[in-house]
Amino acid sequence: MLTALSLTLAGLVVLAVLPVLAAGRALPLMLPGGLPIGMVVHGGSLAAALVFAACGLAALLGGAPAPQPLMPGSWAPMLLAVDGLSAWFLLLLGLAGACSALFALAHYSHAPPRVLAAYPLFLGAMALTLLAADGLTLLLGFEAMSLASWALVAADHDSAENRRAARLYLIFAILSGLCLAPAIGLLAVGGDIGFAAMRSAPPEGWRAAAILALAVAGAGAKAGLVPLHAWLPLAHPAAPSHVSALMSGAMTKVALYVLARLLLDLSGPAQPIWWGVPLLVLGAASAVLGALRANLEEDSKTLLACSTIENVGLIAIGLGLACAFRAADLGALAGLAAGAAMLHALNHALFKSLLFLGLGEVLHGAASRRLDRLGGLIHAMPWTAAAVLVGVGAAASLPPLSGFAGEWLLLQALLAAWRVGDLAFQVLAVGVVAMAALAAALAAAAMVRLFGMAFLGRPRTPRAAGAQDGPWFARAALLLPAGLTVLFGLLPGPMLALAEGALQVLVRQDVTERATIGAISVGDGAGAYMPLGIALLLAALGAAIVFAVKRRAPAGVARSPAWDCGFIAPPQHLPFGDPITQPSAAGLGQPLRRMLGNPVLAVHERVAMPSPGDPGPARIEAGFADPSDRFLLAPLARLRDSVVARTERLRDLTLAQCLMLPFGTLVALLALIAWLEAR
């Protein structure tokens, strides 16, 4: 298995080289038979993603192989291995990557060489991170993932907004690397950075606290945890749609994998209860902030990016609960919390990939990402509308779709947090329960707003009225995750049982007794979730409603114009009606903006009145500011400007002063080395 995975990684590197050779005219952009080189790149990426999914599934079903070197004969101890945890995320990566590559085959076969080259590198780097069995290989894969994704975010660099998003993303990527490198160094045992050696000597005291802080900052910045989430709502809209799907569906999960690997696996089971508190606090804050912002955004891809922040927060809550329950010797509850995190990670990867690809199809068909320029697409793009409806239902946590099972398990674990004997933790858990429930409700409202604005009502622009579904490759890219979303939603028990290997790595607990074909139980007779029964009940109820309506309805169908809220008849150049008579994205979000936005997002509203004598209408101007902009990015920008201003003074130094700078630095380094040697 590891040999097949190593060859697949090598094949992805070869695929990345092909567009570079084509750009240098060593290869033609069109291969014999009129086949674009982009078709080869994305077709090969699709095959690689399927290999990752197959190997992950095989490892989960049949056990993990022994570690093997990444490069035999190399001087560096670079090892590959597959255990239950990496196999689970490898399955996740393979499924999300296959959907993304299918969509790319339909729309991005003629992409620029720099985009074609970075895409297989991005996919391969994520797989390398998951397969790493030592700190050096993990850092190599993680940083390659960051660099390749930065190149994809900066693909459309002609736009000033995209350039800003790429710069901010690169800053946070560098921060992630700067934090993870010392965390792995502190975990190393006697210079051995292999995972097996790290497990043999878990950290304690100040070293454990430093590893916790560095791991949360490094992996949390890449995952999008508050307050290090500012890049995510900017980078996802800037990237191509299939890349956005892979970043949101897979890359954020790879970061959470690194977090789980460092804190739950390599740091040992003997950590204190407070080990999970940072993840609980940051996860709850991320869930509420992301869900609230999703209700206020007017760009569809930005809305989905904020929804990703919310779901990443929920997964982080599950990992934090698992840490606390394990420390309190509540193994069954630790397995429940970790199972909720693993299940929701897989399900979110699929339905969020589906939503990004579906809105990417809307962008190709209606030529806009803004909700106020869409509408009525359920008639123009029925295939896309049906697939996106499945995705928004899962994102809104509606049973029996896949998004419900993980959140239900998470809430059950949170409600059982009173069993931890620490009073402060019990109070914290009550607050986290309330915030998680609020986030779930806000997420449902955001998904209703997204689907209603984009697919219901009347077209708001001529391009939306003339939109069409994409080619069959694009439809397959939507139908695959939509089908898996329904399937995983109906069978959460087998999926939880499949995650047994991952849970053994994280909390050393068996959860197979909780999972059956038709249900998931939380133990102790507290309750069970039976999605198949719910699906049958909903189907019977729906059939009864349709039968009753058809029986009581008069013969024939009567059509009449909808009430237009008292507006005058639209002019002839607006045959589908005046867009102003339909709710706007800002209008639908106004109640939540006024109720919840002020304490969190500093919402502001202003009525702009026309000047005297101007017959124009008054307009309401509303906006908000993310707290990370005010409390993190703005102070850092001021610090940068101050450092630059002080650095400029070096130009005025004399020659003697310039020579003294390196001399003084050398003396300080020698003094530091002497002090370290003396210890």
Side-chain angles (χ1 to χ4, degrees):
M1 180 188 298
L2 286 175
T3 302
L5 289 169
S6 301
L7 292 175
T8 304
L9 292 176
L12 288 171
V13 174
V14 172
L15 289 175
V17 172
L18 292 180
V20 177
L21 296 177
R25 295 297 186 267
L27 284 177
L29 289 174
M30 299 291 291
L31 299 179
L35 183 68
I37 199 168
M39 293 285 287
V40 177
V41 171
H42 294 307
S45 299
L46 172 61
L50 294 176
V51 170
F52 294 151
C55 290
L57 183 60
L60 289 169
L61 293 174
Q68 74 175 29
L70 173 61
M71 293 182 291
S74 173
W75 63 270
M78 302 177 67
L79 299 175
L80 295 183
V82 177
D83 60 7
L85 183 61
S86 57
W88 181 260
F89 283 88
L90 198 64
L91 172 64
L92 177 157
L93 172 63
L95 294 177
C99 300
S100 171
L102 267 176
F103 190 84
L105 281 171
H107 292 296
Y108 293 96
S109 295
H110 297 279
R114 61 179 179 275
V115 177
L116 295 176
Y119 182 78
L121 284 179
F122 183 36
L123 185 62
M126 286 190 286
L128 181 61
T129 306
L130 299 178
L131 295 172
D134 64 273
L136 178 62
T137 309
L138 185 138
L139 281 177
L140 176 64
F142 196 85
E143 292 307 304
M145 175 184 76
S146 298
L147 186 61
S149 55
W150 168 76
L152 292 167
V153 171
D156 186 14
H157 56 270
D158 293 335
S159 168
E161 182 180 359
N162 290 355
R163 291 197 300 271
R164 177 176 178 267
R167 285 197 301 270
L168 188 63
Y169 177 69
L170 185 60
I171 290 171
F172 278 94
I174 293 172
L175 172 65
S176 295
L178 291 177
C179 292
L180 288 179
I184 290 174
L186 288 172
L187 277 167
V189 179
D192 189 346
I193 56 174
F195 288 172
M198 294 179 185
R199 292 188 191 98
S200 65
E204 298 177 357
W206 70 268
R207 194 161 65 97
I211 290 170
L212 175 63
L214 290 169
V216 170
K222 182 62 69 177
L225 282 178
V226 168
L228 303 175
H229 66 285
W231 64 270
L232 206 144
L234 298 177
H236 282 63
S241 296
H242 67 299
V243 176
S244 299
L246 201 54
M247 290 176 67
S248 183
M251 187 188 76
T252 56
K253 308 307 177 302
V254 172
L256 290 171
Y257 160 83
V258 172
L259 193 64
R261 177 69 76 186
L262 296 182
L263 298 186
L264 280 157
D265 178 25
L266 300 182
S267 294
Q271 300 301 335
I273 291 177
W274 59 262
W275 191 255
V277 169
L279 291 178
L280 284 173
V281 173
L282 297 181
S286 301
V288 172
L289 182 66
L292 181 57
R293 277 199 60 174
N295 280 278
L296 305 183
E297 296 291 348
E298 300 178 21
D299 184 293
S300 59
K301 289 181 71 174
T302 307
L303 186 156
L304 294 180
C306 294
S307 172
T308 296
I309 297 173
E310 178 245 340
N311 285 279
V312 164
L314 294 177
I315 298 169
I317 291 174
L319 295 176
L321 269 180
C323 290
F325 285 144
R326 188 179 65 173
D329 200 21
L330 297 171
L333 291 178
L336 181 67
M342 294 300 101
L343 201 59
H344 197 63
L346 175 65
N347 292 331
H348 177 258
L350 284 171
F351 72 69
K352 190 52 63 69
S353 296
L354 167 61
L355 288 174
F356 267 107
L357 297 177
L359 270 298
E361 193 61 43
V362 168
L363 175 60
H364 284 281
S368 181
R369 302 193 314 247
R370 296 192 61 81
L371 297 177
D372 287 333
R373 296 186 62 82
L374 303 175
L377 295 178
I378 194 171
H379 303 292
M381 306 177 70
W383 288 87
T384 303
V388 171
L389 182 60
V390 173
V392 298
S397 303
L398 297 180
L401 297 174
S402 64
F404 180 81
E407 293 196 24
W408 182 80
L409 281 176
L410 179 62
L411 287 174
Q412 294 296 326
L414 282 169
L415 292 173
W418 60 270
R419 298 189 182 183
V420 177
D422 190 278
L423 179 60
F425 184 84
Q426 293 173 352
V427 173
L428 174 64
V430 171
V432 174
V433 169
M435 295 179 74
L438 175 62
L442 290 173
M447 292 301 113
V448 170
R449 175 172 171 266
L450 170 64
F451 190 82
M453 291 292 299
F455 293 95
L456 303 182
R458 298 188 303 272
R460 292 174 174 83
T461 61
R463 184 62 185 265
Q468 293 181 344
D469 279 314
W472 281 106
F473 269 135
R475 297 183 190 183
L478 300 181
L479 294 177
L480 174 61
L484 291 175
T485 296
V486 174
L487 179 64
F488 291 174
L490 293 175
L491 301 173
M495 297 309 299
L496 185 61
L498 187 64
E500 174 68 24
L503 302 183
Q504 287 292 339
V505 173
L506 293 176
V507 293
R508 278 73 172 175
Q509 284 295 317
D510 185 3
V511 295
T512 52
E513 73 278 0
R514 300 181 184 272
T516 62
I517 290 292
I520 295 179
S521 63
V522 295
D524 300 332
Y529 168 53
M530 295 177 286
L532 291 175
I534 293 175
L536 291 175
L537 180 62
L538 290 176
L541 182 61
I545 292 174
V546 170
F547 175 76
V549 169
K550 283 183 174 287
R551 185 170 182 177
R552 296 180 59 87
V557 177
R559 294 185 178 273
S560 60
W563 182 56
D564 58 2
C565 304
F567 284 84
I568 62 174
Q572 293 184 354
H573 64 275
L574 294 174
F576 297 98
D578 193 343
I580 203 172
T581 64
Q582 297 192 78
S584 66
L588 283 178
Q590 185 187 69
L592 288 174
R593 185 173 67 242
R594 290 181 173 178
M595 285 189 297
L596 302 175
N598 276 325
V600 179
L601 296 174
V603 166
H604 58 274
E605 289 187 4
R606 185 178 70 89
V607 178
M609 298 295 296
S611 57
D614 185 351
R619 296 185 178 277
I620 297 180
E621 299 176 355
F624 62 89
D626 194 288
S628 67
D629 295 336
R630 291 175 288 158
F631 300 119
L632 179 64
L633 298 184
L636 288 177
R638 290 193 294 269
L639 176 63
R640 176 202 60 196
D641 294 341
S642 175
V643 170
V644 169
R646 294 177 182 274
T647 306
E648 285 292 324
R649 298 178 184 176
L650 296 177
R651 295 184 178 185
D652 300 328
L653 296 180
T654 64
L655 179 60
Q657 291 171 328
C658 289
L659 292 175
M660 285 299 296
L661 284 176
F663 179 74
T665 303
L666 178 61
V667 171
L669 289 175
L670 290 174
L672 177 61
I673 292 173
W675 178 74
L676 292 174
E677 289 291 335
R679 292 189 65 188

